[in-house]
Amino acid sequence: MTKLLDLSFIRQQFPPFANPEFKGQAFFENAGGSFACKQVIDRLCTYYRETKVQPYYPYSASTKAGQAMDESYESFARYLNVKADEVFFGPSTSQNTYVLSQAMRGYLKAGDEIIVTNQDHEANSGAWRRLAEFGMVVKEWSVNRETGQLETEGLKELLSDKTKLVTFPHCSNIIGQINPVKEWTKLAHELGATVVADGVSYAGHGFPDIADLGVDIYVFSLYKTYGPHQGAMVVRENIMQNLKNQSHFFNDKELHKRLIPAGPDHAQVAAAHGVCQYFDAVYEHHFDADTARGPAVHDLFRTAEKARLAPLLDYLKDNPKLKVIGSTDSENRAPTIAIVAKKVSSPELVKRLVKHGIMSGYGHFYAARLIEAMGIDLEAGVARFSFVHYISDEDIQQLIEALEQEL
Ligand SMILES: Cc1ncc(COP(=O)(O)O)c(C=O)c1O
C-alpha cells in the first residue's frame, strides 16, 4: 500500500514553519533553494560550537570534526547507492562543473566531441562549451522550441565515435521535465562516452539511485536538498582515474581533495549529514525496518508532490490568461512550474503575489539558452512556482487564489 506523507511530522523538521516571520506565507521558490532541515542546522551549530578546529588530528575536537565530515560522505553514499570515495562536496554546482571541466582536459584531446544541451542551467553548459578553446568540438543538442523538451532522436543524430562526453540535465529548472537519464546514458556508453548529469533540479524531490541511473558523474546542490550551501557530486571510480588532480600537487593522492581546489568547508561538509538524518527520520516515522530506505523516502516525497501538482496544473493548463512553459501532465514532471502571463510581466506578477503571501521568483534562472530558444523575453523571463514535499494543499490553494486575482 502506498504510504502517505505525514505533513505535520515533516513540517516539525523545518524551523521556518514555526517562525512567525513566515506565518501566512506559502513558499514557492524551492528550486532556488529549499528550507534547511533542523538536523542540518543543528549539525552546523554544533560544529561551530564544539569542533571548529582543523579536522583529522588526534586531539578530541579535531577527531570529532573529522568524524562528522566522514559521516557525510558515508551517508550520502548510502542514499545515492555509490561508494563514500565517490562522493565530493565543493562550494557549489557551478564551481564543481567548472573544476570538472578543467580536470577533463587531462584526457580530452583536440577534435574530441562534447555534446551539451540548451535545456541546462548554465552550470552544466558553459564550463563544457569553453572547452572549445582547447580544440574540443562542442555540439549542441537543442530543445524542441515549442515544448522545451530534449528529444532522444536529437541525441542520436549527434552521437558519433568521436563523442567523448555527453552532458544533460536530469530535470530542467524551467520546464520541470524529468529526463530519461538511463536511456540516454546507455546510448552514450555504447560509444564509450562519459556522461555528466545535472541533478540539481531533481534531487530535492528525492535522491536518485546513481548506480541504477548509470551516469559517470552526477552533480547537485545541497542548499536545494534541505542542506547547507554546498555542491555535491558523485564521480564514479571508473572515471576518476581519467581526471587530472585540480588541487595542490601534494594532494593528488587525497581523494576528497583532488577535485576541490577551494579546500573543503569543513562545517558545511559535516552539516551535510543532517540531510540524511532527516531522510532517516522520515523513513523511521513512515516505514517498517525491512523497506529499502532510499527508494522508500524518494517515492514517499514524489507521491506527495504529485498529489499537489495535479490540481495546480489543472488550474493552469486551461487558463487563457497565461501559458505554461513545458508539460501540463503531472507524470514525469517535477513540481517546478514556469509560466508567462499574457497581461502582466513576470517581475510584476511575482511582486503582486507577495501581498497574497506567495514567495516566488522570476527571470531566466540561469537557463538563459532555454528561455531564448523558446522565444521568451530574457529580461522578464518566466514566473516560477516550485515546490517540494513539505508544501500543503492549503499552500496550493493560496497560490491558485492569488493567481486568480492578479493575472
Ligand atoms: C538545474 C540547476 N543546475 C545547476 C545549478 C547551479 O547550482 P549552484 O548554485 O550550486 O552553482 C542550479 C541553480 O539554480 C540549477 O537550478
Side-chain angles (χ1 to χ4, degrees):
M1 209 182 77
T2 314
K3 279 271 177 194
L4 291 183
L5 192 75
D6 178 351
L7 196 58
S8 124
F9 171 81
I10 294 290
R11 289 193 161 198
Q12 283 162 26
Q13 316 302 311
F14 290 91
F17 289 111
N19 183 343
E21 179 75 21
F22 289 108
K23 200 166 163 33
Q25 298 193 68
F27 185 38
F28 283 98
E29 228 299 87
N30 292 276
S34 67
F35 288 152
C37 59
K38 69 176 184 193
Q39 293 81 351
V40 165
I41 299 168
D42 288 350
R43 277 181 80 87
L44 197 55
C45 294
T46 303
Y47 193 96
Y48 273 101
R49 283 203 187 97
E50 296 173 19
T51 61
K52 182 66 189 72
V53 294
Q54 195 65 10
Y56 299 114
Y57 287 126
Y59 57 91
S60 170
S62 177
T63 307
K64 282 188 193 154
Q67 280 165 353
M69 290 172 68
D70 289 346
E71 278 174 334
S72 295
Y73 296 109
E74 283 151 19
S75 62
F76 271 69
R78 274 197 300 280
Y79 270 101
L80 297 165
N81 193 21
V82 295
K83 293 183 186 162
D85 281 352
E86 295 174 315
V87 176
F88 297 81
F89 297 110
S92 71
T93 294
S94 305
Q95 177 96 3
N96 285 346
T97 50
Y98 180 81
V99 173
L100 278 170
S101 72
Q102 298 305 305
M104 281 194 192
R105 283 174 50 203
Y107 82 98
L108 293 174
K109 308 184 298 299
D112 283 348
E113 293 180 1
I114 299 173
I115 297 178
V116 296
T117 83
N118 63 350
Q119 193 190 61
D120 273 282
H121 180 287
E122 195 61 15
N124 195 37
S125 197
W128 309 119
R129 288 174 193 259
R130 282 190 206 145
L131 291 176
E133 291 164 23
F134 303 95
M136 291 92 186
V137 178
V138 176
K139 292 177 160 181
E140 183 180 276
W141 175 13
S142 307
V143 293
N144 175 319
R145 286 171 176 267
E146 285 304 307
T147 63
Q149 291 183 14
L150 288 167
E151 290 157 359
T152 306
E153 276 316 302
L155 173 61
K156 286 186 183 162
E157 277 162 26
L158 295 176
L159 282 168
S160 81
D161 55 8
K162 290 196 186 141
T163 311
K164 290 289 174 284
L165 179 64
V166 180
T167 66
F168 50 76
H170 191 170
C171 176
S172 154
N173 66 335
I174 299 289
I175 69 157
Q177 197 72 26
I178 298 172
N179 288 320
V181 172
K182 243 170 127 163
E183 180 192 348
W184 294 349
T185 299
K186 197 159 167 277
L187 287 171
H189 280 175
E190 276 163 14
L191 291 162
T194 297
V195 173
V196 180
D198 176 351
V200 175
S201 260
Y202 184 89
H205 309 290
F207 279 9
D209 178 331
I210 307 261
D212 182 56
L213 286 180
V215 295
D216 303 291
I217 297 179
Y218 192 89
V219 292
F220 63 102
S221 304
L222 298 186
Y223 68 97
K224 301 182 202 262
T225 66
Y226 323 113
H229 202 110
Q230 286 278 285
M233 57 182 170
V234 170
V235 180
R236 300 312 307 267
E237 237 169 15
N238 61 313
I239 189 79
M240 195 62 196
Q241 71 214 23
N242 293 334
L243 300 179
K244 246 169 118 174
N245 173 30
Q246 296 300 305
S247 183
H248 305 303
F249 71 91
F250 43 80
N251 283 336
D252 191 21
K253 298 274 175 288
E254 299 253 2
L255 198 58
H256 283 134
K257 294 185 180 166
R258 292 185 88 238
L259 296 174
I260 312 293
D265 183 324
H266 303 140
Q268 295 206 69
V269 172
H273 175 55
V275 176
C276 298
Q277 289 180 311
Y278 166 58
F279 291 165
D280 284 345
V282 172
Y283 172 82
E284 278 148 27
H285 183 78
H286 291 85
F287 297 97
D288 299 329
D290 57 353
T291 322
R293 217 161 256 253
V297 174
H298 173 280
D299 294 352
L300 183 72
F301 287 174
R302 179 92 189 112
T303 306
E305 289 179 355
K306 267 163 71 176
R308 300 198 163 103
L309 180 57
L312 181 56
L313 286 174
D314 279 348
Y315 166 74
L316 295 172
K317 78 178 169 203
D318 299 320
N319 194 322
K321 295 180 182 159
L322 60 94
K323 183 173 182 315
V324 176
I325 309 305
S327 163
T328 50
D329 182 350
S330 59
E331 276 310 312
N332 241 8
R333 193 197 204 294
T336 301
I337 306 163
I339 65 165
V340 175
K342 301 254 163 81
K343 293 204 178 128
V344 197
S345 74
S346 299
E348 176 62 21
L349 177 62
V350 163
K351 190 170 152 210
R352 287 189 195 175
L353 291 175
V354 172
K355 65 175 177 289
H356 301 275
I358 300 298
M359 299 185 264
S360 62
Y362 65 86
H364 56 65
F365 298 101
Y366 286 25
R369 296 174 200 271
L370 173 63
I371 295 287
E372 281 191 323
M374 296 188 78
I376 299 166
D377 175 51
L378 195 58
E379 207 179 309
V382 294
R384 188 177 71 175
F385 309 106
S386 56
F387 66 92
V388 291
H389 63 284
Y390 51 53
I391 288 306
S392 67
D393 291 330
E394 292 74 25
D395 291 330
I396 299 288
Q397 218 32 57
Q398 189 171 339
L399 174 59
I400 291 176
E401 280 162 23
L403 287 169
E404 199 50 21
Q405 290 184 51
E406 298 299 345
L407 281 168

